[in-house]
């Protein structure tokens, strides 16, 4: 996609949603970190349902440690892979208490060293909690970037690297939120809603859907 088209794409996405953010419910960096860990292979809606019950009871590393792994599982049992996620959350809480005075670290290296935290999760926390202009590539961004021709790549890291190069600085802080929401609600996997798409004319997708 040409540079001018990239600018136009993000300008239009910004016009319809000037202040995008994650759809995960959170009030603190720690709540966001746990929510993102829980969201792997799960929906934001499902995670929010669980954390709305969990966080009033335990929303700090020490409180979750006091809760214990078995009790934590009870709160998150409706989320996929909850057994492994509970183990990871307990382990990362222990590290935060022992090594970071219960605070969420603000570097990628420290975040990625936590159990259950990969590059995408670290990018989300850095961006959303700490205002770092990172781009977290999930399945929605991967699909949108390839389908539109914005930043084609064979894997999520390749797409992330391309987006880092081509997204203008003025859009970078919010870029991944716009692309996630666009992929979730418009450029859907099975049947993209091309007639309602504000970037339809910029998109390189050959199989655009027609109006009903």
């Amino acid at each position: 996609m040409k540079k001018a088209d990239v600018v136009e794409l993000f300008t239009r996405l910004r016009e319809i949603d000037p202040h995008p953010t994650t759809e995960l419910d959170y009030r603190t960096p720690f709540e966001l970190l746990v929510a993102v860990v829980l969201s792997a292979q799960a929906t934001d809606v499902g995670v929010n349902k669980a954390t709305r019950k969990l966080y009033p009871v335990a929303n700090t590393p020490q409180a979750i440690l006091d809760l214990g792994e078995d009790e934590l599982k009870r709160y998150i049992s409706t989320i996929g892979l909850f057994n492994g996620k509970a183990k990871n959350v307990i382990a990362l809480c222990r590290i935060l208490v022992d090594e970071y005075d219960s605070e969420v670290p603000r570097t990628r290296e420290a975040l990625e060293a936590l159990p259950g935290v990969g590059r995408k999760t670290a990018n989300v926390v850095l961006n959303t909690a700490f205002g770092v202009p990172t781009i977290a590539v999930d399945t929605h961004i991967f699909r949108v970037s390839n389908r539109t021709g914005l930043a084609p790549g064979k894997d999520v890291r390749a797409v992330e690297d391309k987006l880092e190069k081509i997204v203008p600085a003025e859009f970078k802080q919010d870029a991944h939120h716009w692309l996630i929401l666009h992929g979730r609600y418009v450029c859907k996997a099975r049947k993209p809603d091309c007639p309602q798409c504000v970037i339809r004319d910029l998109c390189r997708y050959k199989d655009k859907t027609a109006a009903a």
Side-chain angles (χ1 to χ4, degrees):
M1 191 174 288
K2 296 178 181 178
K3 183 178 180 179
D5 289 343
V6 174
V7 172
E8 181 64 20
L9 181 151
F10 284 107
T11 298
R12 294 182 191 178
L13 294 178
R14 181 172 62 186
E15 285 175 352
I16 62 174
D17 190 359
H19 305 290
T21 189
T22 180
E23 293 188 318
L24 290 169
D25 293 338
Y26 78 99
R27 292 178 299 174
T28 66
F30 175 72
E31 287 187 356
L32 177 64
L33 173 62
V34 171
V36 179
V37 169
L38 296 178
S39 72
Q41 300 183 51
T43 66
D44 289 359
V45 172
V47 172
N48 288 340
K49 286 181 179 178
T51 57
R52 282 175 194 149
K53 296 178 181 178
L54 171 65
Y55 289 159
V57 176
N59 69 338
T60 66
Q62 188 60 59
I64 287 183
L65 287 175
D66 293 342
L67 195 65
E69 186 173 331
D70 289 340
E71 190 67 8
L72 175 59
K73 287 180 182 179
R74 189 172 70 82
Y75 282 97
I76 67 171
S77 62
T78 55
I79 301 174
L81 308 175
F82 71 92
N83 284 310
K85 291 176 181 179
K87 183 177 181 179
N88 283 334
V89 169
I90 291 293
L92 74 82
C93 285
R94 174 56 62 194
I95 293 172
L96 294 181
V97 169
D98 291 346
E99 300 180 20
Y100 296 101
D101 196 26
S102 294
E103 297 293 327
V104 176
R106 294 174 176 243
T107 69
R108 180 191 305 283
E109 294 75 19
L111 285 166
E112 289 188 23
L114 297 173
V117 177
R119 185 177 182 85
K120 184 188 77 172
T121 297
N123 277 339
V124 171
V125 173
L126 288 170
N127 178 283
T128 306
F130 300 130
V132 181
T134 56
I135 297 177
V137 179
D138 70 348
T139 55
H140 295 301
I141 292 184
F142 183 77
R143 179 176 66 256
V144 171
S145 296
N146 277 285
R147 183 181 275 171
T148 62
L150 174 64
K154 293 184 178 180
D155 54 50
V156 294
R157 183 58 189 273
V159 169
E160 179 187 334
D161 290 344
K162 284 191 177 181
L163 288 171
E164 286 286 354
K165 291 180 180 178
I166 68 166
V167 177
E170 67 174 300
F171 301 113
K172 194 163 285 186
Q173 177 64 39
D174 296 320
H176 87 269
H177 293 300
W178 284 317
L179 294 175
I180 287 173
L181 294 171
H182 189 69
R184 184 172 291 164
Y185 297 112
V186 180
C187 196
K188 295 172 281 191
R190 293 186 179 181
K191 189 178 181 181
D193 191 4
C194 300
Q196 302 301 317
C197 178
V198 297
I199 59 170
R200 175 188 173 97
D201 58 311
L202 304 172
C203 174
R204 304 293 192 268
Y205 187 47
K206 295 179 180 179
D207 302 314
K208 290 186 176 72
T209 57

